[in-house]
Amino acid sequence: MLDIFVVGGGINGASVARDAVGRGYTVALAEMNDLASGTSSAATKLIHGGLRYLEHYEFRLVHEALAEREVLWASAPHIIWPLRFVLPHHKGLRPAAVLRAGLALYDYMGGRRLLPPTKTLDLTKDEAGKPLKPGYKLAFEYSDCWVNDARFVVLNARDAADRGATIHVRTKVVSARRGDGGWTIELDGEAGKQTVRARMLVNAAGPWVDAVINQSLGKNGGRNVRLVQGSHIVTKKLYEHDRCYFFQNSDGRIFFAIPYEEDFTLIGTTDRDYHGDPKDVAITEEETAYLLNAANEYFAQGVTQDDIVWSYSGVRPLYDDGASAAQEATRDYVLKVEGDAKSGAVINVFGGKLTTSRRLAESVLEKIEEVLGKKGPAWTAKGTLPGGDFGPKSFDAELRKLAMDYPGMNAGLLRRLLRLYGTRARTVLGEAKSEADLGPHFGADLYGAEVDYLVANEWARTAQDVLWRRTKRGLKVSAGDAARLEDYLAARDESRA
Ligand code: FAD
């Protein structure tokens, strides 16, 4: 019998599985679709304290989240890196002195050691003022971090598997029933129907957490999560520098404009209650118009529907704390334990953020220890994620080393691979001397060797998995190349069968 079975391969499930197996528990996880196919690939992708949560007095959350920025950056400097945010000041905002004080608090609470502090910008002189409409004179610039969200999940799952956890993808937990000192869990997925036994269950099903309680566990758990939809648009690059903007819209809501995948700008997010099936969530016309209008309040160059190259939408599974407005519902996580060691215990996970996923896992582990007894100590604060073993601030040095080892490879390709796979880029490239040795080309620098790596090491099954979650090559490859990739993956499957 396993110690722990985790339902859900989003960031919370993957982080719990990784932490638990690293402490010596036996662990398996099931994800009904692809890893990170739920909310965890639909985020704004910030590792941040959440400046605006200060306004909602979420001090515990902000403090924990701020401290996580440097911990997570050090653990995965390939997929997480610092960003500077420019917050232009204008009449509709709080007085400049209040904002300055809020940012000083943000700097102070964050226990910052490596990230640079807040400073004031003169937008009439600074490059950050150039893309904006005339009239913006003063801005504040502060630090947070960026994360490649889908890869954050996959690397947690990879690390869990490297340490001995079993990861089932495209495998649904259909039911889980208590009895004989644990759970009997029915799975249905790519390996057919299976039954497994585990002493504890962790329900990290995100937007489906209530469905798992009410359907798979057969309980009448009611409604605990409030689904809040958030959508983003990706446009052609709106400006040249590498900083982000933090804007406040005329309705008081905030949004970001962020440099994205070199050639694009990411704009989001919206915040609206969602009542449909989470799997069907998609950006609405109203949200698109809202984001375009918001961008047009600030950027001098008009942004239109024609500039949009992609959009995505997800639902935040927030703990329902009864807040009236969607944007006011708590972003903090809540854990609820039910049952005990004798009868089989379950921990239901509500809410959370990418930023606090590692700390959420530690809190889950504290509860697991109460039921199953303690094994190893907490370890993830100092652990690195696969490929991230080169330290913060060393990305450029690591890239130079990679370029020396692969002098025949295109510099842009090496940079991209290092950003995705870190030191494991060497496993992707193997003995290849130039692109010609990397197998079939699917456009936009995506070669067979990378696809093979993703299938062998990162549970990629379909072109969608490769193009939109493991990489974002979907933004650049043609429909024909995507179809060839699908054929290539299908042929690999057949030759395996
Ligand atoms: P999910 O990622 O949805 O994972 C749950 C998984 O469970 C799914 O993959 C699902 O397929 C699986 N599952 C469900 N039922 C079953 C079953 N029966 N059997 C097997 N598998 C099952 N956080 C930040 O820190 N920074 C941000 O900038 C940020 N921006 C955001 C912007 C938006 C618009 C949204 C929506 C969220 C944002 N977040 C951000 C929050 C963050 O993305 C979420 O808190 C986090 O991804 C939730 O992860 P999860 O693992 O709980 O859920």
Side-chain angles (χ1 to χ4, degrees), residues 102-120:
L103 284 162
L105 182 64
Y106 202 72
D107 269 352
Y108 170 75
M109 283 173 79
R112 228 177 12 83
R113 286 182 305 114
L114 300 173
L115 293 168
T118 299
K119 66 177 186 184
T120 303

Side-chain angles (χ1 to χ4, degrees), residues 226-229 272-282 315:
R226 175 171 185 171
L227 299 182
V228 174
Q229 178 174 7
R272 64 201 286 272
D273 280 309
Y274 183 79
H275 301 289
D277 186 327
K279 78 173 174 14
D280 299 329
V281 67
V315 281

Side-chain angles (χ1 to χ4, degrees), residues 16-33:
V16 169
R18 172 187 184 234
D19 190 338
V21 72
R23 295 190 198 210
Y25 296 104
T26 51
V27 180
L29 175 152
E31 162 53 51
M32 65 181 174
N33 295 312

Side-chain angles (χ1 to χ4, degrees), residues 7-13 30-34 36-48 171-174 204-208 212 216 228-232 269-270 314-317 351-356:
V7 189
I11 194 58
N12 288 333
E31 162 53 51
M32 65 181 174
N33 295 312
D34 182 24
S37 57
T39 308
S40 298
S41 57
T44 311
K45 310 173 201 307
L46 304 179
I47 297 292
H48 64 157
T171 302
K172 183 171 181 174
V173 174
V174 183
W208 293 267
V212 168
S216 313
V228 174
Q229 178 174 7
S231 300
H232 292 81
T269 171
T270 54
V315 281
R316 304 170 181 87
K353 296 185 60 67
L354 295 162
T355 309
T356 49

